[in-house]
Amino acid sequence: MESDEAAAKRARAEGGEVAPTEVVANGISAVIPGWFSEISPMWPGEAHSLKVEKILFQGKSDYQDVMVFQSSTYGKVLVLDGVIQLTERDECAYQEMITHLPLCSIPNPKKVLVIGGGDGGVLREVSRHSSVEQVDICEIDKMVVDVSKQFFPDVAVGYEDSRVTLHIGDGVAFLKNAPEGTYDAVIVDSSDPIGPAQELFEKPFFESVARALRPGGVVCTQAESIWLHMHIIEDIVSNCRQIFKGSVNYAWTTVPTYPSGVIGFMLCSTEGPAVDFQHPVFNIDEDEVSNKSKGPLKFYNSEIHSAAFCLPSFAKRVIESKAAN
Amino acid sequence: MESDEAAAKRARAEGGEVAPTEVVANGISAVIPGWFSEISPMWPGEAHSLKVEKILFQGKSDYQDVMVFQSSTYGKVLVLDGVIQLTERDECAYQEMITHLPLCSIPNPKKVLVIGGGDGGVLREVSRHSSVEQVDICEIDKMVVDVSKQFFPDVAVGYEDSRVTLHIGDGVAFLKNAPEGTYDAVIVDSSDPIGPAQELFEKPFFESVARALRPGGVVCTQAESIWLHMHIIEDIVSNCRQIFKGSVNYAWTTVPTYPSGVIGFMLCSTEGPAVDFQHPVFNIDEDEVSNKSKGPLKFYNSEIHSAAFCLPSFAKRVIESKAAN
């Protein structure tokens, strides 16, 4: 069978169009020499490309292709199955928002569970909260953890916190076995719903999350782009509305290297003490303990927390029709 | 001299890297066959690409290269000097925000001036305001107007409003000659500060804007990306702080096809009745006249108006150090 690289070469030589499946050879774009291009059926007809200085790592785990490269203007970049997961330049936006949106919405979170997030960035942010006593993380792919520790020390630094316990395994199974009512907060830092993360967008998983949370506990899950995936978001909102009897909200933020430049989060709470996600109860941005030990936050603050829940009208209409709070 | 196209061909044949200046031949990417790639020294090391179904127009005006193509997933796309100006899929975000942020911040705007914005999208949004009596637009490049009328009727529809007067000419000169204290609002819908729009980012231009505004009048100018151009933004804020004695604010929004996925706006007012930009005084989103004649807004609403002024900490620190209100 013709290799991806050969197919791309042939297509170029013929002056014909290169189909998306032919474009990626060994994870690196074969059509823009020296650039990485992110092409996926999740965002057809568009691609973001970063100029590659050097490929630092390429591997194949039991679950996915793993690549790290040094880009010319975004620092080091982690790529899973051809999709950018983080760059050193803009990872602050995603990690800070997915963590502090839920944790600053409840008073004194003590037990936190992270599903996915093997790079350690969410752990780094969770550990800013001095109220936290226990952080469990369940990541399916050990290669992601190892690669992050080797190439992204400023992200993987989250693992150095003594409150953290790493579980390598399936997040779905981990949650099923978690004792009921254990966690104050669950953060689901998943990749897209194609590949190993697919189940993390489905109803049985959300049911397990609700079971593992205490009454009035909160979950924050990566929930795609309002510009690209309103149909997926609609389904998630619909599922969450049935399962989480506290409140169900959608927030979003800017991350330049994610498709369409934005990423969204579902924020839900279980029945119990009411959680008003739009009005944070804790100001981590001005917390002396956090600032002294970790330095100031780069992206998150209380105003951008509240602003993240304000949606463009086209998204608001769809989401509010599924989730009237 | 070797043509761009020949240089790109040669580089490909040699398997070498294609330098940015060699990539664009006749406005269409020579390196991803069938795709348009946006490569610019304004955002080195990254490029956004859209798949091209058909090139609809290619021309060279006195000021710039003008291209229109049908993309496979973003509708028709307008490109000036190799940079995407608008796509049918996401133009609503930019046009609605750059227009309603200033116009909803003051009561009953009557006289409005648009600099640039030849596509007509800002006019379309201005014309939602029933208080407006006079709209002047000064666009330097007649080809942009003509191309928009031909290929983007839903954008150029703004020209059909009888309150609109089109002036083809230099915005800088137009403002110099405008009678003092004429306008309630000036909207500067410019391209990047490389090429014909350069002067629109400089101090003498802002001085002319301030002169042409009534006391307590407002200006909204396209002000680049917080992720890519903090140094440019810093200069603009610094200039505006010296010139506009009312208030000086920075807001931003998401536009997927702009570099880094965001675009910012400088919003300033002249000395006079105070303008609190973060708290709009008019709710166009619920205005019956606007909704009845133009249909509902796609993007803008009062909540996203206020949210647009909430900045990530890294940007807030820089901007607040230049503009303490």
Side-chain angles (χ1 to χ4, degrees):
Chain A
M1 201 186 127
E2 192 179 26
S3 75
D4 284 353
E5 202 169 12
K9 261 190 193 161
R10 179 183 47 76
R12 281 204 307 286
E14 293 168 9
E17 192 176 318
V18 182
T21 50
E22 297 173 319
V23 171
V24 177
N26 301 321
I28 195 83
S29 168
V31 277
I32 313 192
W35 291 61
F36 166 81
S37 291
E38 192 185 55
I39 295 179
S40 162
M42 288 279 293
W43 41 90
E46 65 181 309
H48 191 245
S49 305
L50 292 177
K51 194 174 177 186
V52 177
E53 292 291 317
K54 195 180 177 186
I55 296 177
L56 302 172
F57 180 85
Q58 277 186 296
K60 201 173 170 62
S61 74
D62 291 344
Y63 302 96
Q64 53 205 342
D65 291 322
V66 179
M67 178 172 69
V68 177
F69 68 86
Q70 180 72 47
S71 70
S72 72
T73 53
Y74 276 78
K76 289 200 280 284
V77 181
L78 173 65
V79 179
L80 300 179
D81 278 349
V83 177
I84 292 171
Q85 302 298 309
L86 67 83
T87 81
E88 288 181 313
R89 180 156 158 197
D90 65 3
E91 57 93 9
C92 62
Y94 178 76
Q95 320 274 20
E96 293 184 15
M97 291 298 273
I98 198 173
T99 305
H100 304 305
L101 285 176
L103 293 192
C104 293
S105 295
I106 52 173
N108 302 310
K110 288 191 174 62
K111 293 186 180 182
V112 179
L113 171 62
V114 180
I115 300 290
D119 55 63
V122 170
L123 299 176
R124 180 190 68 200
E125 296 306 318
V126 172
S127 72
R128 287 180 174 272
H129 292 258
S130 54
S131 65
V132 167
E133 295 167 359
Q134 175 188 332
V135 191
D136 291 323
I137 173 166
C138 185
E139 163 63 48
I140 201 165
D141 193 346
K142 188 169 178 294
M143 190 181 279
V144 173
V145 178
D146 294 340
V147 157
S148 185
K149 286 181 176 173
Q150 188 178 351
F151 296 102
F152 300 90
D154 294 342
V155 179
V157 65
Y159 285 106
E160 288 171 20
D161 191 298
S162 62
R163 296 168 291 180
V164 170
T165 307
L166 169 62
H167 308 261
I168 296 292
D170 175 18
V172 177
F174 186 90
L175 265 165
K176 265 190 198 145
N177 296 325
E180 204 174 322
T182 305
Y183 295 103
D184 297 288
V186 175
I187 297 169
V188 186
D189 174 14
S190 69
S191 46
D192 294 314
I194 291 183
Q198 192 179 332
E199 283 186 83
L200 305 183
F201 290 81
E202 292 169 2
K203 209 165 157 182
F205 175 73
F206 289 124
E207 281 164 354
S208 301
V209 170
R211 225 190 97 267
L213 283 171
R214 68 157 167 85
V218 292
V219 60
C220 180
T221 80
Q222 189 272 96
E224 303 296 324
S225 159
I226 46 173
W227 286 105
L228 299 172
H229 309 119
M230 273 315 296
H231 55 292
I232 299 177
I233 295 168
E234 219 175 321
D235 287 349
I236 302 176
V237 171
S238 200
N239 286 338
C240 287
R241 194 72 205 139
Q242 289 170 50
I243 292 162
F244 294 98
K245 299 299 183 187
S247 67
V248 173
N249 305 264
Y250 191 87
W252 63 280
T253 198
T254 157
V255 182
T257 56
Y258 286 169
S260 83
V262 300
I263 191 83
F265 309 103
M266 279 305 306
L267 285 137
C268 309
S269 65
T270 52
E271 203 167 5
V275 180
D276 178 2
F277 283 103
Q278 293 205 40
H279 299 97
V281 296
F282 179 59
N283 190 340
I284 184 84
D285 186 38
E286 291 181 3
D287 184 63
E288 276 185 31
V289 180
S290 161
N291 284 337
K292 211 169 173 182
S293 62
K294 310 275 172 183
L297 288 158
K298 289 180 186 165
F299 191 93
Y300 175 95
N301 54 58
S302 292
E303 298 96 69
I304 214 159
H305 177 128
S306 298
F309 293 88
C310 300
L311 305 177
S313 296
F314 72 83
K316 197 179 162 186
R317 282 191 278 266
V318 173
I319 288 169
E320 285 186 354
S321 74
K322 296 281 166 188
N325 283 308
Chain B
M1 202 187 128
E2 192 179 25
S3 74
D4 284 355
E5 200 170 14
K9 261 191 195 160
R10 179 183 47 76
R12 280 205 307 286
E14 291 167 10
E17 191 176 317
V18 181
T21 50
E22 296 174 322
V23 171
V24 177
N26 301 321
I28 194 82
S29 167
V31 276
I32 314 193
W35 291 62
F36 166 80
S37 291
E38 191 186 56
I39 296 179
S40 162
M42 288 279 293
W43 40 91
E46 66 180 310
H48 191 245
S49 305
L50 292 177
K51 194 172 176 186
V52 177
E53 293 290 317
K54 195 180 178 185
I55 296 176
L56 302 171
F57 179 85
Q58 277 186 296
K60 202 172 170 60
S61 74
D62 290 344
Y63 302 96
Q64 53 204 345
D65 291 321
V66 179
M67 178 173 68
V68 178
F69 68 87
Q70 179 72 47
S71 69
S72 72
T73 53
Y74 276 78
K76 288 199 280 280
V77 182
L78 173 65
V79 179
L80 300 179
D81 278 348
V83 177
I84 292 172
Q85 302 298 310
L86 68 83
T87 81
E88 288 181 313
R89 181 157 157 196
D90 64 4
E91 56 92 10
C92 62
Y94 178 76
Q95 320 274 21
E96 293 184 14
M97 292 298 274
I98 198 173
T99 305
H100 303 307
L101 285 176
L103 294 192
C104 293
S105 295
I106 52 172
N108 301 311
K110 288 191 175 62
K111 292 186 180 181
V112 179
L113 170 63
V114 181
I115 300 290
D119 55 63
V122 170
L123 299 177
R124 179 190 68 199
E125 296 306 318
V126 172
S127 73
R128 287 180 174 273
H129 292 258
S130 53
S131 66
V132 168
E133 295 167 359
Q134 176 187 332
V135 191
D136 291 322
I137 174 166
C138 184
E139 162 63 48
I140 201 166
D141 193 345
K142 188 170 178 296
M143 190 182 279
V144 174
V145 179
D146 294 339
V147 157
S148 187
K149 286 182 177 173
Q150 187 178 352
F151 296 103
F152 299 90
D154 294 343
V155 179
V157 66
Y159 285 106
E160 290 172 18
D161 191 298
S162 63
R163 296 167 290 180
V164 170
T165 308
L166 170 62
H167 308 260
I168 295 293
D170 175 18
V172 176
F174 185 89
L175 265 164
K176 264 189 201 146
N177 297 325
E180 204 173 323
T182 306
Y183 295 102
D184 298 287
V186 174
I187 298 170
V188 186
D189 174 14
S190 69
S191 45
D192 294 313
I194 291 183
Q198 192 179 331
E199 282 185 85
L200 306 183
F201 290 80
E202 292 169 1
K203 211 165 155 180
F205 175 73
F206 291 123
E207 281 164 352
S208 301
V209 171
R211 224 190 98 268
L213 283 171
R214 66 157 168 85
V218 293
V219 61
C220 180
T221 80
Q222 189 272 97
E224 302 297 323
S225 160
I226 45 174
W227 286 104
L228 299 172
H229 308 119
M230 273 316 295
H231 55 292
I232 299 178
I233 295 168
E234 220 175 321
D235 287 348
I236 301 177
V237 172
S238 201
N239 285 339
C240 287
R241 194 72 204 139
Q242 289 170 49
I243 293 162
F244 295 97
K245 298 300 183 188
S247 67
V248 173
N249 304 265
Y250 191 87
W252 64 281
T253 197
T254 156
V255 182
T257 57
Y258 286 169
S260 84
V262 300
I263 192 82
F265 309 102
M266 280 305 305
L267 285 137
C268 309
S269 64
T270 53
E271 203 166 6
V275 180
D276 179 1
F277 283 103
Q278 292 206 40
H279 299 97
V281 295
F282 178 58
N283 190 340
I284 183 85
D285 187 37
E286 292 181 3
D287 183 64
E288 274 185 33
V289 180
S290 161
N291 285 335
K292 209 167 172 182
S293 62
K294 310 274 173 183
L297 289 157
K298 290 179 185 164
F299 191 93
Y300 174 93
N301 53 59
S302 291
E303 298 94 70
I304 215 157
H305 177 128
S306 297
F309 293 88
C310 299
L311 305 177
S313 296
F314 72 85
K316 197 178 162 186
R317 283 192 279 265
V318 174
I319 288 169
E320 285 185 354
S321 74
K322 294 282 166 188
N325 283 309

